[in-house]
Structures are given as C-alpha cells and as structure tokens.
Amino acid sequence: MNSVNRFIAKIFSDQAIDILSFPEKNDNKFWDKFVKIGSSHYIIPALYSKFKERNFLVLISDELSSYMRHIYDLNLKRNLELEKESSEISSIFLANNIDHVFLKGAALISSIYEHDIGIRMIGDIDILVKKSQILKAKSILLLDGYSTKNTGPFKPFLNDSDYRINHLQRLINKNKLFAVELHFDLSKNKSIDTDILIKRKQKSNGIYIPNNINLLNHTIINFQENDNGSLKAGFHFRTLFDVYNLSKTQPHILDKLPISEHLQRIKVVLNNLNLLKFKTPLKLLLFELRFRLIHSFYIFSLINSIIIVVFLFLSTPITIRLKQIKALFLQKDYRKYALKKIRIVK
Amino acid sequence: MKKKDKYINRKQALKKMGRYAGLTALGTFLLLNPKKSQANSPLPPGDGWE
C-alpha cells in the first residue's frame, strides 16, 4: 500500500496526523499522486472538506488549495441542484403512489452528509421502485419530460432485459442536470430483498431513503458485488468514505448487516487501511495476501487486471456478444465508442 | 437561461485548476460536466494502484 493511499485514508477517517510528518508543500511527487488518486476515486471534494475542517489547508500550496476548493465548489453547485431535482421527483412519485426510495448519493446527501452536501461526488439520481410499479414510474417521468433517447455515446441496441444490471435505461431531461436511473433490483445475485428495503424506508429531508442499515449494506454490495470489488480485490475511496461514515451512525452497525463474503472482504480492506479493527478469518487470508500484493506491486496489479478482464469477457452471455459484434459492423457510433474504449483510436 | 449555462466552460475551469488540471482523472471531469455527466454513467472506479 503506497504512502498516498495511507495518507488519504488517515485524512478522511480523522486519524491523527503528526504535523512534522505531513508532506512538504513543495513535494510535487507526493501531491501530484494525491491529485491523481483523489480524482480517480472521486474524493477531491471530501478531501478538501476534511482539510478545511482539520485546518490543514495552510499546510498545502495555494495552487493545490485553490484547485481543491474549485472542484468542491463545482460539486456543491451540482448537489444543490440534485437536491432540488430529487425533491421534484419525490413529489411526483408520492402524488402517484409510487413506492420508492432514493439510493446512493441522493440518499447520502440527504442524510449523513446533509451538513456538508458538497462533500460527495454524484453521477446521477438512483431510485429503487417497487418492481410492480417500475414501468408506471418510468411513464410518469417520460410525461415529465424525461427521455431515454440520446442518453449515451451510441444508439442503444440492447433491450432492458439484455442488461445484467439492476436498472432500466437511463432517463435524461434537457431541462434538468441529472440523469435518473430507476432500479428494480440492487444486486446481481438478488442478495438484497428490495420489498423489505422499501418497506423499512425512512424519510430524510423530505425524501424517502433506505434506513441506515440497508443504506450501508447496499453501499457495500454495490461496490463489492456490482462493481466487482470483491472479485478484483480492489477498493474505492468514495465507497470506503461512505462505509466509514455510515458505520459511525450507530454502534456496531456493521455487525447488524447480513453476513456475506462481500462484507467480510470489505472488512479486510478496511482493516488493511487502518479504518477498522478486524481479525482476518482463515478463509480470507489468501484474499488478503492478494489484496496486499496487488496494491503494493505494479506487476501483480497488472496480472490481476488481465485475468479479471478475460474472466468478465468470457462470462458475458453469447447472445449479448453477438449483438455487440453486429453493432460493431453496422453502427458507426458504437464502433467509434468501442475502438476508443480499447484505446485503438483517440 | 439553461441550467448548464450557469457553469463555467471547460477553458475557464482548466485555468482555475492550474497545473492540477492535467493530473485530474477523466471521471472527475465527467461528473462535474453537466452535459457529459447526463450522458455517461461514472467510469468504473480505479483499482487503487496509481
């Protein structure tokens, strides 16, 4: 684990940092890496907020401080808009008796980050809707000006049923800032009972969100399972920041979550970043060794990435691969997107 | 005024970010850019090895 990762974990978890060991302002190598990692993990606003709270801004260069403040300010403006748009959708859904909860970023800024809503970077508005009402919810948003057209870099050629994801196609609205994703499920392996999650919802700042236990469980499952964090033995600071802050909302909350391999694995990750005290069970020692090697030596990281890419490629159903191959030949926009993605064209 | 007009353009943003603009991951730019953010899901998070 490199020193920048350890430093970032210390900053956002309020661990004591000896001022004498604080990196020098002019240590460009360190701070450049800090920006690269912080921005790829979407936590520059969180780091800025923590630096400010802990009076560390005087210890970094003016240029870095102003850069971080700028990203934070832009994010804050976006999230203020997100609050407004979430609230509008909530009103429409309630008026039409749609049973729903807001998830992820929208839920977090209306609850644990309500005191500092610029702290969390958010891509879109995710909403879990009762399965039997999902199409009604979509129609309501379509009537409200949302659309599924032009929501991506190429014309979609897969149906909703082809996606092994848990939501309908993204909805966008030219008069709104945020795209909306309507979820009918929350995990690839259906490990979260969505009906119970909706039933146990709580109201926070005017919108319905999962209770804190379910919010924490979904945050973990979403990264470890849906984004393949467990498979890759990877970690994402934005997720760890959310998990860390949610775990402080009530004593022993992590012990109240359903026991799963994903929970155990994220505990190993948290332990290795000194964010949680956890004794690694025997069956996860190999996972821990892999995690340490991947995050300490580039060669292991590279080998791990190649194996994962091949595995994910082979695990995609043949029917979807055939549709992709057909689109590669017949759809110019998809061809351009695919070639860019594998870095054959810029 | 359209919502996206309230935000500064790319050139202004890059100027404000100084030398760190070049080090900023594409994902962060995408999330902060209203138009691109609507069109794309956030990029998959990095594996932590930078």
Side-chain angles (χ1 to χ4, degrees), chain A residues 170-209:
Chain A
R170 291 160 74 77
L171 295 158
I172 61 162
N173 184 331
K174 62 179 180 357
N175 296 315
K176 310 271 178 169
L177 203 53
F178 286 87
V180 174
E181 281 183 358
L182 294 178
H183 291 247
F184 46 84
D185 244 318
L186 294 180
S187 64
K188 283 181 190 167
N189 298 327
K190 324 284 177 217
S191 54
I192 298 177
D193 187 325
T194 52
D195 285 340
I196 292 182
L197 187 142
I198 293 177
K199 205 172 167 188
R200 295 182 183 162
K201 64 193 172 190
Q202 58 177 331
K203 202 163 192 179
S204 186
N205 283 306
I207 62 168
Y208 281 112
I209 64 169

Side-chain angles (χ1 to χ4, degrees), chain A residues 5 32-33 35-37 39-40 42 63-64 67 70-71 77-78 81 123 151-152 170 172-173 175-177 179 181 223 235-236 294-298 301, chain B residues 3-4 6-8 12-13 16-21 23-25 27-28 30-34 37-50:
Chain A
N5 281 332
D32 287 0
K33 211 168 176 179
V35 168
K36 278 187 190 171
I37 296 176
S39 61
S40 72
Y42 308 141
E63 193 178 13
L64 179 57
Y67 160 83
H70 178 61
I71 301 257
K77 273 186 196 167
R78 272 176 65 78
E81 196 60 38
T151 58
R170 291 160 74 77
I172 61 162
N173 184 331
N175 296 315
K176 310 271 178 169
L177 203 53
E181 281 183 358
F223 180 72
F235 69 93
H236 188 218
I294 290 168
H295 297 285
S296 302
F297 303 101
Y298 178 68
S301 163
Chain B
K3 287 205 167 91
K4 62 184 177 189
K6 287 195 288 188
Y7 295 83
I8 59 173
Q12 287 168 312
K16 279 199 167 192
M17 290 181 189
R19 64 184 286 269
Y20 293 108
L23 300 169
T24 304
T28 282
L30 287 178
L31 280 196
L32 293 174
N33 181 322
S37 175
Q38 268 214 356
N40 299 283
S41 272
L43 294 172
D47 59 8
W49 219 105
E50 301 293 335

Side-chain angles (χ1 to χ4, degrees), chain A residues 6 10 61 82 92 103 113 125 129 252 256 278 280 289:
Chain A
R6 292 206 174 280
K10 273 186 178 177
S61 71
L82 183 135
I92 302 172
L103 301 165
Y113 301 137
I125 298 176
V129 177
H252 312 296
K256 295 173 187 166
F278 178 66
T280 306
L289 176 67

Side-chain angles (χ1 to χ4, degrees), chain A residues 141-315:
Chain A
L141 290 183
L142 291 177
L143 281 174
D144 195 47
Y146 282 87
S147 146
T148 53
K149 285 174 196 156
N150 302 320
T151 58
F154 56 87
K155 192 172 161 247
F157 53 85
L158 297 175
N159 306 319
D160 281 340
S161 58
D162 284 332
Y163 289 95
R164 287 195 307 163
I165 51 179
N166 308 308
H167 56 83
L168 303 181
Q169 269 181 37
R170 291 160 74 77
L171 295 158
I172 61 162
N173 184 331
K174 62 179 180 357
N175 296 315
K176 310 271 178 169
L177 203 53
F178 286 87
V180 174
E181 281 183 358
L182 294 178
H183 291 247
F184 46 84
D185 244 318
L186 294 180
S187 64
K188 283 181 190 167
N189 298 327
K190 324 284 177 217
S191 54
I192 298 177
D193 187 325
T194 52
D195 285 340
I196 292 182
L197 187 142
I198 293 177
K199 205 172 167 188
R200 295 182 183 162
K201 64 193 172 190
Q202 58 177 331
K203 202 163 192 179
S204 186
N205 283 306
I207 62 168
Y208 281 112
I209 64 169
N211 65 30
N212 286 354
I213 294 176
N214 287 330
L215 200 49
L216 176 57
N217 189 38
H218 178 227
T219 303
I220 292 171
I221 295 293
N222 190 50
F223 180 72
Q224 297 296 118
E225 185 180 319
N226 300 344
D227 291 339
N228 299 310
S230 289
L231 182 71
K232 293 176 182 171
F235 69 93
H236 188 218
F237 275 126
R238 187 179 65 174
T239 302
L240 297 183
F241 186 59
D242 294 340
V243 169
Y244 179 79
N245 287 304
L246 280 164
S247 69
K248 288 194 301 185
T249 57
Q250 48 178 283
H252 312 296
I253 189 172
L254 278 165
D255 300 334
K256 295 173 187 166
L257 303 187
I259 296 167
S260 69
E261 185 79 5
H262 300 304
L263 175 62
Q264 299 288 84
R265 287 187 179 207
I266 203 168
K267 281 183 176 175
V268 172
V269 173
L270 289 163
N271 183 47
N272 274 272
L273 285 161
N274 289 329
L275 297 170
L276 174 84
K277 289 265 174 280
F278 178 66
K279 193 174 180 311
T280 306
L282 204 59
K283 66 171 184 170
L284 284 180
L285 285 178
L286 205 60
F287 172 80
E288 185 169 50
L289 176 67
R290 190 174 141 226
F291 176 83
R292 286 183 180 172
L293 289 174
I294 290 168
H295 297 285
S296 302
F297 303 101
Y298 178 68
I299 186 70
F300 285 103
S301 163
L302 187 68
I303 293 168
N304 186 57
S305 302
I306 293 169
I307 293 170
I308 299 294
V309 166
V310 172
F311 175 81
L312 292 175
F313 182 84
L314 294 175
S315 61

